Amino acid sequence: MNSFEKVDVIVVGSGNAASCAALSAREKGLNVVMLDAAPREARGGNTAYAGGQMRVAFEGIGDLLKVIGDLTDEEIRNTDFGTYSAADFLDDMGRVTEYRCNPELVEYAIRNSLDTLIWMRSKGVRFQASFGRQAFRVDGKFKFWGGLPCEVWGGGAGLIEALHARAERDGIPIFYDTPVVSLLRNNDRVTGVRILHRAQMLEVQAKAVVLACGGFEANAEMRARYLGRNWELAKVRGTRYNTGQGLRMALEVGARSFGHWSCAHSSCWDLNAPEFGDLVVRGGYQKHSYPLGIMVNARGERFVDEGADFQTLTYAKYGREILAQPGLFAWQVFDQRAVPLLRESYRIRQVTRVQAPGLEELAAKLDGVDGERFLRTVEEFNNAVSGRGDSFNPSLKDGCGTIGLRIPKSNWARRIERAPFEAYAVTAGITFTFGGIKINTRAEAEDYGDVPIPGLFVAGEMVGGLFYHNYPSGTGLTCGAVFGRTAGRSAAVFARSFGG
Ligand SMILES: Cc1cc2nc3c(=O)[nH]c(=O)nc-3n(C[C@H](O)[C@H](O)[C@H](O)COP(=O)(O)OP(=O)(O)OC[C@H]3O[C@@H](n4cnc5c(N)ncnc54)[C@H](O)[C@@H]3O)c2cc1C
């Protein structure tokens, strides 16, 4: 096991946060290894499943051009990218987390978001403008909405490809099928890890350890324990390897638990998707176009405001709402005006869809739903749509809402009347858990006295205090990259103090 002999920094995981940590520690000239519980073909954790959108604070096209290299002159001329200031980003984080997110950590992440994307680009990550997902054509010009113009070329898989290629070039070995089972700690500091490698339990010494090995979303027992009833029945949108082991081992050496442990990111996911993510279909099972229609439960009733806000600011909490419905499922219903606007994921082969020429025929096809009540729900909904439906505009909160319903639809409400109709069956897909470890802005893990645990750094989904109740899309990869890069840099500085 020669490769483990002269390790300065051990990075646990091989996803976005771990890869950024490893590259940034290596940049400082340290010997770094990455250890992943997964086999090589499942490398990259949840990152490999991600759509690849990254939320970033930017002041205009000038900033975006530093990240997205290859926009054509025509694209620049015909697109309104808008701006998304640090204040806008902070505002969204505050609002969706009900003002509970840790301001120090969140401000740090936002302040470093643009610079970190530029750094990632310097490491070989390619970004493109998110035309397909975040822009609508209005009066002949593409208009971006929701502050999300950047996505990684090739999505999360492309991100892993690029970061791992750079790790290989920089001489960072990645050991797969190598779960870390615990941390080694003496009186002074964390001194390494205990691993299971080729059926052998080994101890690997290092000067610093970065834990970036995900939350507990793939662990049914922990989901039931921390998130509550029925969470063990949720589908897992991503990797099966994020089982909360990193959190457990950090807590075992005295790290402080932090953040919203009873909450998670979960969204509308095809009812018949497999138990864990599928690296071919990836995000294809997600069904995020509900603002264009209505969602009904087994009773045939609506249960959320589908147009409460941009989908990017509501989707991560609606999985939880579905899990609270009888039978843990819902149907999303659309008419022909909405159908052309549905996202690509509604057109995949592996979709649970029914179509019908009329609402009554549709009602009969909605498995598990009280059809009569469903028809009354649609009628009540249609009667409640205000005349403003004519100014429907999906690129802004158009205020086309319902009037007088107990559960309103606040924007994008249009009568469901143009045949044929389509409906899609969904359940809750869990993405990642919000509870984590307390870190500071150097990504040092802190103990219950807010004192850093020497030699232990944490990044990615394992960081607590960023998300409460809800999540603005594209923030996971950005925060993971910012704190991953920071963790690598801090681990390198710490290791250097031991002559590394
Ligand atoms: C379908 C889907 C779409 C998404 N889309 C987006 C998006 O567009 N934008 C966005 O910002 N976020 C998105 N996310 C969320 C985002 O991808 C993740 O939150 C983020 O990638 C997590 O990165 P990470 O590095 O913390 O963890 P991961 O990428 O999950 O990596 C964790 C790694 O740790 C390893 N590991 C776990 N336990 C151990 C152990 N004991 N020992 C060794 N290794 C271990 C795992 O095998 C894995 O490789 C999406 C997630 C999913 C599932």
Side-chain angles (χ1 to χ4, degrees):
M1 215 21 64
N2 284 341
S3 327
F4 290 150
E5 268 165 21
K6 277 202 209 133
V7 178
D8 296 316
V9 177
I10 290 172
V11 177
V12 186
S14 77
N16 173 51
S19 304
C20 289
L23 292 176
S24 114
R26 187 76 190 108
E27 215 169 50
K28 305 284 174 215
L30 280 285
N31 284 329
V32 183
V33 298
M34 291 163 74
L35 308 174
D36 198 328
R40 191 177 188 286
E41 60 274 16
R43 68 183 179 150
N46 268 349
T47 307
Y49 294 83
Q53 288 195 292
M54 293 186 71
R55 192 170 285 264
V56 61
F58 67 98
E59 291 298 342
I61 181 72
D63 280 346
L64 289 183
L65 287 173
K66 296 178 199 162
V67 178
I68 307 169
D70 43 11
L71 280 171
T72 63
D73 289 345
E74 199 187 340
E75 282 171 332
I76 294 172
R77 248 192 334 272
N78 286 331
T79 309
D80 176 4
F81 288 98
T83 61
Y84 190 62
S85 68
D88 294 332
F89 197 159
L90 191 60
D91 216 49
D92 282 339
M93 280 296 288
R95 193 155 40 88
V96 306
T97 64
E98 300 179 18
Y99 300 95
R100 286 181 183 270
C101 59
N102 181 278
E104 212 190 344
L105 294 178
V106 166
E107 278 176 28
Y108 178 82
I110 293 172
R111 211 171 46 248
N112 286 284
S113 59
L114 179 65
D115 186 54
T116 300
L117 265 65
I118 296 169
W119 176 80
M120 292 171 86
R121 187 180 173 200
S122 79
K123 298 292 179 196
V125 176
R126 277 180 65 194
F127 291 93
Q128 62 184 351
S130 215
F131 282 110
R133 289 197 284 185
Q134 291 299 137
F136 285 104
R137 201 189 271 275
V138 180
D139 298 333
K141 202 167 174 164
F142 277 105
K143 186 170 169 41
F144 274 84
W145 54 279
L148 274 169
C150 294
E151 69 181 40
V152 178
W153 194 86
L159 177 57
I160 288 300
E161 197 68 47
L163 292 173
H164 284 199
R166 182 57 188 244
E168 188 176 351
R169 215 175 96 196
D170 287 0
I172 302 169
I174 307 177
F175 292 91
Y176 297 104
D177 286 309
T178 304
V180 172
V181 292
S182 58
L183 294 168
L184 306 174
R185 183 180 184 170
N186 66 17
N187 288 339
D188 299 330
R189 65 180 180 93
V190 168
T191 59
V193 296
R194 191 169 288 110
I195 61 173
L196 191 58
H197 184 69
R198 297 187 187 145
Q200 268 191 298
M201 202 63 104
L202 300 174
E203 290 189 354
V204 186
Q205 306 290 328
K207 292 166 185 154
V209 175
V210 178
L211 289 176
C213 48
F216 60 85
E217 54 273 9
N219 182 329
E221 187 270 341
M222 283 182 83
R223 289 204 302 272
R225 182 148 44 111
Y226 292 108
L227 304 180
R229 191 165 172 265
N230 286 335
W231 276 93
E232 65 275 40
L233 303 177
K235 309 236 182 209
V236 178
R237 295 178 67 208
T239 179
R240 63 172 67 222
Y241 293 95
N242 287 357
T243 56
Q245 301 313 305
L247 293 168
R248 175 192 48 76
M249 55 187 109
L251 295 173
E252 276 169 8
V253 298
R256 175 181 161 198
S257 61
F258 195 54
H260 202 174
W261 275 73
S262 60
C263 201
H265 177 310
S266 64
S267 61
C268 300
W269 196 246
D270 192 284
L271 183 63
N272 292 308
E275 187 184 358
F276 295 104
D278 172 330
L279 273 169
V280 177
V281 180
R282 298 204 293 147
Y285 292 116
Q286 67 204 20
K287 298 290 170 270
H288 291 170
S289 294
Y290 53 82
L292 300 168
I294 59 169
M295 284 203 279
V296 295
N297 62 16
R299 288 192 290 267
E301 294 168 348
R302 291 175 56 246
F303 55 95
V304 289
D305 178 349
E306 301 87 348
D309 207 328
F310 285 124
Q311 158 269 314
T312 50
L313 301 178
T314 59
Y315 79 111
K317 61 179 179 178
Y318 281 176
R320 183 167 72 242
E321 298 296 340
I322 292 172
L323 220 48
Q325 303 310 308
L328 324 183
F329 71 88
W331 284 89
Q332 299 180 349
V333 179
F334 305 100
D335 81 350
Q336 271 313 306
R337 280 188 301 183
V339 165
L341 298 176
L342 298 180
R343 287 167 158 225
E344 229 174 274
S345 62
Y346 287 75
R347 300 280 159 255
I348 64 169
R349 193 166 46 80
Q350 305 84 340
V351 72
T352 309
R353 173 181 51 207
V354 293
Q355 293 163 305
L359 282 168
E360 290 196 358
E361 292 95 323
L362 188 77
K365 288 184 172 178
L366 299 182
D367 234 12
V369 173
D370 177 339
E372 275 177 31
R373 180 70 186 98
F374 163 72
L375 289 171
R376 278 207 310 282
T377 296
V378 175
E379 194 184 344
E380 285 159 15
F381 177 81
N382 284 348
N383 290 339
V385 171
S386 72
R388 298 196 53 212
D390 293 346
S391 39
F392 170 85
N393 183 343
S395 64
L396 48 84
K397 284 204 261 177
D398 62 7
C400 296
T402 55
I403 295 168
L405 291 181
R406 189 175 60 81
I407 300 175
K409 182 173 178 188
S410 302
N411 293 285
W412 311 296
R414 290 195 293 187
R415 291 166 63 88
I416 298 175
E417 60 184 5
R418 193 166 299 170
F421 302 95
E422 294 191 0
Y424 296 78
V426 292
T427 185
I430 185 168
T431 318
F432 67 92
T433 46
F434 290 163
I437 300 299
K438 174 71 172 68
I439 63 165
N440 57 26
T441 54
R442 289 183 299 280
E444 295 166 320
E446 293 186 336
D447 67 14
Y448 280 85
D450 287 345
V451 177
I453 297 174
L456 185 61
F457 304 85
V458 168
E461 292 179 357
M462 288 185 61
V463 173
L466 298 175
F467 309 115
Y468 294 78
H469 300 292
N470 192 9
Y471 159 100
S473 70
T475 319
L477 290 176
T478 299
C479 290
V482 169
F483 286 111
R485 181 188 181 198
T486 302
R489 200 165 46 211
S490 299
V493 170
F494 185 84
R496 277 250 181 274
S497 66
F498 289 89

